[in-house]
Amino acid sequence: MWTNTSGGVVQSDSTGPPLRPDPPEALALSDVTVRFGGVSALNHVDLEVPSGQLCGLIGANGAGKTTLFDVISGLRVPYSGSVRLHGTDVTGWSVQRRARFGLRRTFQRVQVFGWLTVEENLLVANEWRGGGGGVLGDLIGLRSRANHERERRTRAEEVLARCGLLDIRDRSAASLPIGTARLVELARALMDDPTVLLLDEPASGLDSSEAERFGDLVTRIAEDHETAILLVEHDVGFVMQRCHRVMVLHLGEVLADDTPERVRDDPMVLSAYLGTSAD
Ligand SMILES: Nc1ncnc2c1ncn2[C@@H]1O[C@H](COP(=O)(O)OP(=O)(O)OP(=O)(O)O)[C@@H](O)[C@H]1O
Ligand SMILES: [Mg+2]
């Protein structure tokens, strides 16, 4: 029998080395409720996404998907319930503090800085992590500043290459078609190696080959970089094909949370969301 000690190490009653317990889920929501006046946009929602998992979130318009993202990212404080990142309760934390803890998101309405180039859109995302010297440091060109600048550019180049954007690094972001702008938004979110990534309708407005490319990239990010990804999408085919797991929200409540195959065959999901009868 295994017992949990105060240090969090699991030790067997018999001899042998102590075993570490499984790490906490990268993202966990517990009993989250959000109300807008008399409307419950989310009602006692629980959700866990482990590292390396691509979890799809589907539901009809107004089901509460974006509200859930706002709660996770810190834009909205829930009426009740909690949000944990890697086991730490972040419910009271600001958006910026959660971002420093490894959380990034993209938006339902794609948000790139149109007056910057593709590469600059990535460079602005890679926040300054110190180096000292303040404004004076900039003026006299401290070596740490120059090193940091080089690191940022190298990192941007890696991410641009990973997202297939190297060839258009100097293009103005304002001139990009929606599919490419969504890739730039994703690339910007990847600059600081997020451990938890929220994607709000990333395939919306993409044609089938762009969606395919986007799906391949997102799958690689989850699996190769051990990132926990929660993805909201109306394209049910994309979600069923790409996600390890699917959660269905209906009027602010969790209707199903299972493998794509089981969710697709769930009679409640078929009638409430997919609009077809199970018969
Ligand atoms: N700021 C707000 N004030 C009042 N009600 C809101 C607000 N934001 C969302 N709601 C309501 O909360 C519910 C959930 O909205 P939400 O935007 O989260 O849905 P969604 O699942 O993202 O929908 P969609 O698929 O259309 O993007 C809806 O009834 C919506 O009208
Ligand atoms: Mg929405």
Side-chain angles (χ1 to χ4, degrees):
M1 186 179 166
W2 306 97
T3 50
N4 204 345
T5 69
S6 56
V9 176
V10 177
Q11 178 86 52
S12 89
D13 287 346
S14 59
T15 53
L19 298 179
R20 293 259 158 214
D22 288 341
E25 305 298 13
L27 170 66
L29 268 73
S30 172
D31 206 19
V32 166
T33 294
V34 172
R35 295 197 181 125
F36 294 111
V39 177
S40 279
L42 295 173
N43 209 4
H44 302 289
V45 171
D46 292 320
L47 165 70
E48 289 188 346
V49 187
S51 298
Q53 187 176 79
L54 180 49
C55 176
L57 179 60
I58 60 175
N61 294 116
K65 304 179 297 293
T66 297
T67 305
L68 191 70
F69 270 25
D70 289 347
V71 169
I72 297 170
S73 58
L75 282 175
R76 188 166 297 287
V77 179
Y79 173 78
S80 61
S82 66
V83 180
R84 272 169 291 134
L85 293 175
H86 306 286
T88 300
D89 190 330
V90 301
T91 318
W93 289 17
S94 68
V95 173
Q96 292 78 8
R97 196 167 169 207
R98 292 178 205 212
R100 284 198 294 274
F101 210 62
L103 176 72
R104 287 289 184 283
R105 81 178 277 187
T106 65
F107 288 87
Q108 191 166 347
R109 285 183 56 143
V110 65
Q111 295 190 11
V112 289
F113 302 118
W115 62 94
L116 299 178
T117 65
V118 167
E119 184 172 26
E120 286 164 349
N121 261 274
L122 271 63
L123 290 171
V124 292
N126 202 210
E127 68 171 315
W128 174 245
R129 288 219 183 86
V135 177
L136 184 64
D138 278 337
L139 289 175
I140 62 175
L142 280 180
R143 185 178 298 179
S144 57
R145 291 288 169 105
N147 288 345
H148 180 72
E149 180 67 18
R150 247 194 320 277
E151 278 166 23
R152 287 168 70 218
R153 290 192 178 275
T154 306
R155 174 72 187 151
E157 192 151 333
E158 277 167 21
V159 177
L160 287 167
R162 198 197 307 166
C163 299
L165 295 169
L166 263 184
D167 290 349
I168 57 159
R169 66 199 290 172
D170 295 324
R171 250 176 83 175
S172 152
S175 68
L176 300 173
I178 180 84
T180 317
R182 284 203 185 278
L183 271 177
V184 173
E185 198 189 21
L186 175 64
R188 194 175 58 204
L190 297 179
M191 278 294 282
D192 281 313
D193 247 339
T195 54
V196 178
L197 185 59
L198 311 177
L199 305 175
D200 200 349
E201 301 198 25
S204 134
L206 308 196
D207 65 30
S208 57
S209 72
E210 286 173 328
E212 192 69 18
R213 201 168 131 215
F214 201 98
D216 285 346
L217 179 58
V218 169
T219 306
R220 277 204 308 276
I221 295 164
E223 292 177 356
D224 299 351
H225 297 263
E226 282 290 291
T227 310
I229 302 182
L230 184 60
L231 178 153
V232 163
E233 189 47 65
H234 280 291
D235 181 343
V236 176
F238 182 93
V239 172
M240 295 297 175
Q241 186 197 347
R242 293 289 175 182
C243 294
H244 303 117
R245 186 173 128 224
V246 178
M247 180 165 133
V248 186
L249 268 185
H250 181 61
L251 300 176
E253 301 201 356
V254 179
L255 191 66
D257 183 357
D258 215 322
T259 62
E261 295 75 24
R262 289 212 202 102
V263 166
R264 196 171 25 213
D265 295 338
D266 186 324
M268 293 229 292
V269 176
L270 286 170
S271 66
Y273 174 54
L274 299 175
T276 47
S277 151
D279 304 326

